[in-house]
Amino acid sequence: RFHGEGYQEGYAEGSHMGVVEGRRYGSLHGAKIGSEIGCYLGFALTWHCLLQKCTDEKNSKKIRALDSLIGMIQKFPYGDPTYDKLQEDLEKIRGKFKQVCSMLNIQSGFRIGTERSSLTF
């Protein structure tokens, strides 16, 4: 009987602590992804506005790549943490961001640290 009661109490406590730890972990990593995607979107929108004044063929390719990046970000499922292709779509956005940076001749690096987060150019 004591063994059974101890098991039930331990199981309940472990389940509760698992939920708390999972929520904390999910919030932390969700915030990191949100920060990264937000920086990419701000970058893309800013460059899109800057390049709209120029109408040559070279800039039209850059604008199309920026439009593609913006579209990918806008379709990203922020509200669905159970989305099965979340990591795959995130990697596609990162790849498109690197492509756009290459087209713009910008060295980019996105890093999130414990002290600060930054996007460097």
Side-chain angles (χ1 to χ4, degrees), residues 36-48 70 73 119:
E36 180 181 1
I37 296 292
C39 284
Y40 294 160
L41 182 59
F43 171 88
L45 291 173
T46 300
W47 274 100
H48 193 274
I70 292 167
I73 292 170
L119 182 62

Side-chain angles (χ1 to χ4, degrees), residues 101-112:
C101 287
S102 176
M103 292 174 81
L104 295 170
N105 293 324
I106 295 173
Q107 292 289 330
S108 67
F110 185 85
R111 62 184 183 275
I112 297 179

Side-chain angles (χ1 to χ4, degrees), residues 13-121:
E13 180 67 22
S15 295
H16 174 71
M17 292 307 294
V19 168
V20 170
E21 186 176 335
R23 185 173 290 131
R24 188 173 349 124
Y25 182 83
S27 295
L28 174 67
H29 289 282
K32 286 181 182 180
I33 290 172
S35 178
E36 180 181 1
I37 296 292
C39 284
Y40 294 160
L41 182 59
F43 171 88
L45 291 173
T46 300
W47 274 100
H48 193 274
C49 288
L50 292 172
L51 293 175
Q52 278 188 336
K53 296 176 184 173
C54 306
T55 58
D56 62 345
E57 180 63 27
K58 193 182 258 188
N59 284 330
S60 69
K61 287 182 182 181
K62 293 174 186 176
I63 289 174
R64 282 195 302 271
L66 286 165
D67 286 337
S68 176
L69 177 60
I70 292 167
M72 291 169 75
I73 292 170
Q74 288 174 340
K75 291 177 186 172
F76 192 75
Y78 301 103
D80 185 10
T82 61
Y83 178 62
D84 59 339
K85 294 184 180 181
L86 188 112
Q87 289 297 323
E88 184 180 319
D89 286 354
L90 186 58
E91 287 301 319
K92 287 179 183 177
I93 290 171
R94 288 175 178 150
K96 181 59 80 171
F97 174 72
K98 289 178 183 177
Q99 177 190 12
V100 168
C101 287
S102 176
M103 292 174 81
L104 295 170
N105 293 324
I106 295 173
Q107 292 289 330
S108 67
F110 185 85
R111 62 184 183 275
I112 297 179
T114 54
E115 299 167 10
R116 61 187 172 110
S117 64
S118 64
L119 182 62
T120 59
F121 300 98

